[in-house]
Amino acid sequence: MGNAAGPYQAVVFELHEAGQSLTNVLVVESTFPIPPAYLHPLLGGVVLVGWCAIVWMILLSVIKERPTSR
């Protein structure tokens, strides 16, 4: 199943308590000794706001260039 977490989930449950839920935090912690900065949630929000700002600027420039009335 491609990127399915099935095999990884079995290893995590074997190493940790069976009651602990599998989250992405466990995957990142076991993959990277120090998580990279691009995986921080705050950076995701900054990227989202940046993309929205770029789209908004393009929209405003298109509206200013083309008249809406005929």
Side-chain angles (χ1 to χ4, degrees):
M1 270 234 171
N3 292 333
Y8 185 80
Q9 187 175 11
V11 172
V12 170
F13 285 145
E14 193 71 31
L15 295 176
H16 298 288
E17 300 87 36
Q20 186 177 2
S21 64
L22 177 65
T23 63
N24 289 337
V25 172
L26 292 175
V27 176
V28 170
E29 285 178 350
S30 65
T31 306
F32 303 103
I34 299 172
Y38 61 83
L39 291 178
H40 196 277
L42 185 60
L43 182 63
V46 170
V47 170
L48 177 65
V49 169
W51 275 110
C52 290
I54 290 171
V55 170
W56 186 252
M57 290 187 315
I58 292 171
L59 177 68
L60 287 178
S61 67
V62 168
I63 289 174
K64 287 180 182 178
E65 294 283 327
R66 298 180 183 166
T68 54
S69 61
R70 293 186 182 220

